[in-house]
Amino acid sequence: MGRRASLTRGAHPLIPIPHLSRSRSRLRHQTPQQLRPTSPPPPLHPAAAASLHKRFVDAVAHLGIKNAVPKTIMQLMSVDGLTRENVASHLQKYRLYLKRMQGLSSGGGGGSDPATDRLFASSPVPAHFLHPNRVPSSDHFMPSFVPIATLQQQQQMAAVAAAAAAANAHLQPPQFHHRQISAAHYVSPTANGQFGSPPANGKFDQSFLARQTQQQTLQRMSTPSLHSPVGNYVEDLESANANGGRTVLTLFPTRDD
DNA sequence: GGGAGAATAT
DNA sequence: CATATTCTCC
């Protein structure tokens, strides 16, 4: 895992540093701030990042791996500044993780790699994501997704429809990693960084949030004594925020919290 | 120096 | 759209 928050490192550049030394041929990793001095450099809130990754997971889960295409996901997320490229990249990683997970699961044995586990285990993963063919009878997870009539955008509607159609195909993804540039892209400059109450997709959020809440509740109830790293969005948010106002967003505890 | 993730290129 | 490659980050 590489770059991300420097919680462990402690000393980290709060502001994006121009890596001109390296980028002589390509200039792709330039920070938006440098490129667009005119635009206000809004520090991405940790909450935003966490919500983003969560949002991504939700979108994919609701859409189903079948319909989980970068374009659809991006539209569903409705995150200003988010591009298809970003989603695609994350999606790739997401798939990789799933594949890895399957191999471990199938291979038998514990299948609990400390590295991989802590890497992706942060996100709520419904059971059947790893085994689409084998759907357990005790499927506690069904998208009771109730679309509200307050749809403002067709995107959401389409997403819901797709989700319903692909209800049988579920997959839970890893987390979204936000780097300085990514974070900036993900969050809108003008936006307050609050995904919880945007008028644009209030309905959408509600559905997702509702589902997430249920998951967390279930997990807590199931393992009250054992504190599972999964489903602790609030903690992530707080931790990230408490880590000293890290400009970069740390979605998941890559290095342990 | 290595590992991991993200962005870019194909 | 998916995959492969590249680069940056810690």
Side-chain angles (χ1 to χ4, degrees):
Chain A
M1 23 227 112
R3 61 189 157 8
R4 259 186 358 7
S6 46
L7 289 136
T8 34
R9 295 289 180 179
H12 60 74
L14 295 172
I15 55 174
I17 302 173
H19 300 88
L20 297 174
S21 322
R22 187 86 174 199
S23 55
R24 45 179 182 253
S25 304
R26 282 179 182 165
L27 190 66
R28 61 184 219 292
H29 272 293
Q30 287 294 346
T31 54
Q33 298 176 3
Q34 294 174 352
L35 293 172
R36 300 254 338 238
T38 50
S39 295
L44 183 46
H45 288 236
S51 295
L52 183 70
H53 121 245
K54 189 169 80 170
R55 192 165 258 180
F56 173 82
V57 174
D58 285 341
V60 177
H62 288 242
L63 288 166
I65 210 68
K66 192 180 75 165
N67 292 318
V69 291
K71 185 180 177 180
T72 312
I73 296 168
M74 182 186 68
Q75 292 188 134
L76 237 160
M77 290 173 80
S78 290
V79 178
D80 186 15
L82 193 98
T83 65
R84 188 167 144 225
E85 313 267 301
N86 285 311
V87 177
S89 183
H90 291 308
L91 188 69
Q92 183 184 37
K93 189 174 65 175
Y94 170 87
R95 285 171 153 189
L96 221 78
Y97 160 70
L98 286 169
K99 202 159 194 170
R100 223 177 151 91
M101 206 64 157
Q102 288 182 18
L104 285 160
S105 261
S106 273
S112 301
D113 274 326
T116 314
D117 190 49
R118 65 145 150 59
L119 211 79
F120 297 112
S122 305
S123 79
V125 179
H128 21 294
F129 244 61
L130 303 173
H131 298 272
N133 294 338
R134 167 186 172 192
V135 179
S137 309
S138 57
D139 180 86
H140 56 283
F141 244 75
M142 223 13 218
S144 313
F145 207 86
V146 188
I148 303 175
T150 330
L151 294 175
Q152 294 182 354
Q153 299 180 358
Q154 295 178 353
Q155 300 171 357
Q156 296 175 359
M157 212 166 187
V160 175
N168 55 18
H170 288 85
L171 196 68
Q172 278 298 312
Q175 304 71 6
F176 241 109
H177 276 227
H178 285 42
R179 117 191 242 175
Q180 296 172 355
I181 191 166
S182 304
H185 278 294
Y186 291 151
V187 177
S188 172
T190 52
N192 7 343
Q194 296 294 345
F195 294 100
S197 47
N201 40 20
K203 163 211 115 46
F204 181 69
D205 278 351
Q206 286 180 7
S207 301
F208 278 15
L209 289 172
R211 179 171 156 279
Q212 291 288 150
T213 304
Q214 289 180 1
Q215 287 185 12
Q216 291 184 14
T217 306
L218 290 169
Q219 288 179 3
R220 286 184 182 176
M221 290 175 69
S222 297
T223 56
S225 302
L226 182 62
H227 194 84
S228 190
V230 184
N232 287 337
Y233 300 114
V234 180
E235 229 177 271
D236 285 352
L237 297 171
E238 290 180 0
S239 293
N241 191 9
N243 83 53
R246 166 65 167 165
T247 314
V248 183
L249 299 201
T250 307
L251 296 177
F252 53 73
T254 316
R255 59 179 136 54
D256 182 5
D257 45 29

